Amino acid sequence: MGQIELKGVAKRFGDAEVIPPLDLKIEDGEFVVFVGPSGCGKSTLLRLIAGLEDVSGGKIEIDGRDATAERPAQRGLAMVFQSYALYPHMSVRKNIAFPLKMAKVPQAEIDAKVNNAAEILNLASYIDRRPGQLSGGQRQRVAIGRAIVRNPQAFLFDEPLSNLDAALRVNMRLEITELHNTLKTTMIYVTHDQVEAMTMADKIVVLQAGKIEQVGSPLDLYNHPKNRFVAGFIGSPKMNFMTGAEAAKHDAHEIGFRPEHIAVGETGDWKGKVTVSEHLGSDTFLHVDTEFGIINVRANGNVDVHHGDTIWMTPDRSKVHRFDAAGNTL
Amino acid sequence: MARASTTQRKAVVTVCAWAVGLVIFFPILWTILTSFKSEVDAIAIPPKFLNFNWTLDNYHDVQERSRYFLHFMNSVIISLGSTILALIIAIPAAWSMAFVPGRRTKDILMWMLSTKMLPAVGVLVPIYLIFRDFGLLDTRTGLIIVLTMMNLPIVVWMLYTYFKEIPGEILEAARMDGATLSKEIIYILTPMAVPGIASTLLLNVILSWNEAFWTLNLTAANSAPLSAFIASYSSPEGLFYAKLSAASTMAIAPILILGWFSQKQLVRGLTFGAVK
Amino acid sequence: MATQASRAAGRLMISPAVILLLMWMIVPLGMTIYFSFLRYNLLIPGENPFVGLENYSYFFTDPNFWPSLVNTLFLVGGVLLITTVGGVLLALLLDQPMWGQGIVRILVIAPFFVMPTVSALVWKNMFMNPVNGVFAWIANVFGLPAFDFLAHAPLLSIILIVSWQWLPFATLILLTALQSLDSEQLEASEMDGAGPLARFFYIMVPHLSRAATVVILIQTIFLLSVFAEILVTTNGGPGNASTNLTYLVYSQSLLQYDVGLGSAGGIVAVILANIVAIFLMRMIGKNLET
Ligand SMILES: Nc1ncnc2c1ncn2[C@@H]1O[C@H](COP(=O)(O)OP(=O)(O)O)[C@@H](O)[C@H]1O
Ligand SMILES: [Mg+2]
């Protein structure tokens, strides 16, 4: 089991309220991603769940039991840190065995579990090395291995991929997703990268300044953002926003179109001059200077448009996102 | 300076530097040489550099004349004892300051430093009287207590600067893994900080070994470490240069060797981390 | 990492160190202050009446007080001058590429590890002795009369001995600072057309000034309480020619057994040291921010 419920959980550091009271329910077996800009309180929220920080108010329930006052180790959660936090003076094997040793598990059982984890994570070949002799990806695996052997109720990940290079990051992303499919344990994953959130999550929690802006499945957030912040945060390239007459046409204070919902042609609704064109082969990203400011357009395949060209664009008006003056979706 | 220099320039620099280095080192070298001379050779004019009859008699005489070995052991026991005691008190304190800093942590650190700046002579009289009343004068225990307190601020500070370099996440990971506070310190922090703890130990052994204000004022025949014992040579008695040299060589040799290993830590420890 | 539990643990773990140091500071210092207001001589049994500031006025009017204060200042100032100037020069020299740099470094640093009593005795007997000392022989070689250093220039001799002990410290710290200077900074300034002198004054001196300040302040703390070197060489003499404040207090309290007077002197020394300490603490405190 690994159901976690936050009831009115809040956190203050001195006078600064980093997390205003919030409620959140995480179901057993779910892959939940906390996403939001840097400094919005994602790590703090995760550390509250882990028990590394005390809550300033509210209750944390794990599997229905009040865990607010429990020490980190009692909560049955395992954490993978951004810096991996491996014990540098212990071999990989000892690192992975450490939580079991602390729990006074018999040596034979420890060996079996460590070997099992090594097999799952494919790290048997370097099990007797020290962390200092491993690459970033290998360290990441060891950190996950150390989490797995405890059979936790839930895994907590704090930006685990941010120290890896781009190619490795994609690989590890897949591995963690696969691991979740195998273990079916609850995972809470913190990232500032919306691509990671969209690709990995069952459920995304979008945070801003400690506040939950929206909770939902990735496509739910993409198609039905609750407000301007979520609309702008989810999706890449970013949604184009417009106010004024163009918004008035849709009876809104502000409207937004995603770059992939704008078509380029010989004629159209809007005219503009291309400032930058990025040709990826599969897609073409255009930055177009228009009367509404810069508009990002994403076209499928290669479009033969270059810097300085004047082009016409037509938005798919059925895909419009409309917002009121407060930024909420209409 | 990453600057290509000509061989010629390098040669000039080398000669100058070696000359200066040898001049500065000469008193030590001279002491060591003299310790192997006979007393007559020791005062020969012109001085004899290498062309004398090498002898080990002085080392033998020094032990005969006074219980040299006793004082040597006093030095070892007092400097090691006070350093280890200080470490035991300081490790938890430094842990606390490095990993659970509070609002007052900085003030406490600065205050500890300020106690180090209290001139010893300011508390000489009361310490002397307290020691007299408690029978601690001329005991190793008494000196260990004083030197522990003398060194505690430096030990705390050095450990603090080393601990600060250990990422807190690793200790948090241990906590998540179920380590209690004592296990966290014993299995994770201490092994990770071994180099830092060793440097601290080294520097403080050196400082205690060479300490000469308290040792001179609080000890006599029984518990005097070498730094105080050597002072007994200050009243001349016939020909004694060679014996003085032998006693001195034995007194400084261990620390000279330790010191060479601890140059880096020395800077850090004595500047309280202000220069790294 | 700050839950109630860990913060409580933190307080618990820091308390032995804090309590012990607090006792170490307050109890003896309090006693010193208290004694300094009493007429209290170990050789005169009986009452120890409260006499107000009498000890202080005795201390300040003691014919040895002003000379000892002047001696203290000369001793501290002289050693500081020699060690900082010498230290900067030596550090610059040792920072150059050369053969056997490691060994030279060791040779230069060695005196710092020699205990004060040993270095004082070695200098006194084997170098400064007017009959058998190395200096006497050198003077002789040049046809000069031997000079009795400790009899005729006792303070200067002690300054030389103490400088020899502390020069390595200054050198080591300044060298460390010099080596932490980013070589790209020097190269950049060279590209910008700065000659060797300009590089020294505009890049190195500002970089070294911080380390030099630390050297000066820390040495001052130690130099204010130079003791063993005086005890084994001159015993503060001839007369009071090489008596510093620390030695004066020592002789009043442990040689003349005048606890009251010695305590008053101790307090004066504490105040003097604190003036320096305030500056030092400021510097170190600033460093703590980063
Ligand atoms: N121990 C702390 N003391 C004071 N403020 C903190 C502490 N930890 C985090 N904060 C503040 O809380 C906010 C959220 O931090 P964090 O949770 O680390 O953000 P994120 O992980 O989303 O980037 C930041 O403004 C940070 O400065
Ligand atoms: Mg974070």
Side-chain angles (χ1 to χ4, degrees), chain A residues 40-265:
Chain A
C40 71
K42 308 175 298 282
S43 299
T44 306
L45 191 55
L46 197 70
R47 291 161 57 83
L48 288 174
I49 296 172
L52 293 170
E53 300 276 359
D54 287 329
V55 297
S56 309
K59 253 167 67 171
I60 297 173
E61 290 182 359
I62 299 175
D63 292 333
R65 116 192 150 256
D66 185 357
T68 320
E70 286 180 352
R71 282 189 290 108
Q74 295 171 322
R75 301 190 181 196
L77 309 174
M79 185 146 166
V80 175
F81 292 85
Q82 182 170 357
S83 64
Y84 318 132
L86 299 180
Y87 311 126
H89 54 292
M90 300 182 188
S91 66
V92 168
R93 179 187 293 284
K94 289 228 170 92
N95 261 280
I96 297 177
F98 188 74
L100 302 173
K101 204 172 132 197
M102 288 298 109
K104 303 208 167 63
V105 173
Q107 190 60 41
E109 200 177 324
I110 292 183
D111 290 340
K113 284 193 166 165
V114 171
N115 289 337
N116 182 33
E119 204 167 305
I120 295 179
L121 291 164
N122 222 344
L123 44 75
S125 59
Y126 46 86
I127 195 146
D128 289 315
R129 289 205 217 147
R130 295 259 178 113
Q133 302 163 296
L134 304 181
S135 69
Q138 291 172 327
R139 284 181 210 187
Q140 183 67 74
R141 282 203 184 88
V142 177
I144 294 174
R146 196 172 62 185
I148 286 180
V149 287
R150 294 178 51 198
N151 255 334
Q153 308 290 306
F155 290 95
L156 312 178
F157 293 91
D158 190 356
E159 311 223 7
L161 306 186
S162 57
N163 286 340
L164 301 179
D165 63 48
L168 203 52
R169 209 176 310 167
V170 174
N171 262 340
M172 286 306 298
R173 205 165 79 197
L174 290 173
E175 279 191 37
I176 293 177
T177 309
E178 250 169 56
L179 191 70
H180 180 243
N181 292 337
T182 319
L183 299 175
K184 300 196 168 50
T185 310
T186 311
M187 290 190 175
I188 306 179
Y189 187 104
V190 162
T191 180
H192 64 266
D193 180 356
Q194 59 97 24
V195 175
E196 276 177 28
M198 293 296 281
T199 51
M200 301 171 86
D202 295 326
K203 184 157 98 185
I204 296 181
V205 177
V206 182
L207 290 164
Q208 188 198 9
K211 231 175 83 232
I212 295 184
E213 294 287 348
Q214 189 169 0
V215 179
S217 71
L219 286 182
D220 200 21
L221 298 191
Y222 178 83
N223 291 322
H224 308 291
K226 252 191 183 158
N227 53 37
R228 193 186 178 284
F229 176 79
V230 177
F233 194 78
I234 301 289
S236 168
K238 249 178 85 133
M239 184 182 280
N240 299 294
F241 293 100
M242 293 163 211
T243 50
E246 205 55 39
K249 278 188 201 163
H250 290 272
D251 214 7
H253 173 76
E254 190 172 17
I255 56 167
F257 288 105
R258 294 201 182 275
E260 50 271 41
H261 298 148
I262 298 174
V264 178

Side-chain angles (χ1 to χ4, degrees), chain B residues 34 67 95 102 112 117 176 193 202 206 215 217 219 271:
Chain B
T34 307
R67 295 170 296 166
W95 172 87
M112 285 193 171
M117 302 188 179
M176 293 289 296
L202 210 57
I206 294 173
T215 54
N217 280 311
T219 64
T271 63

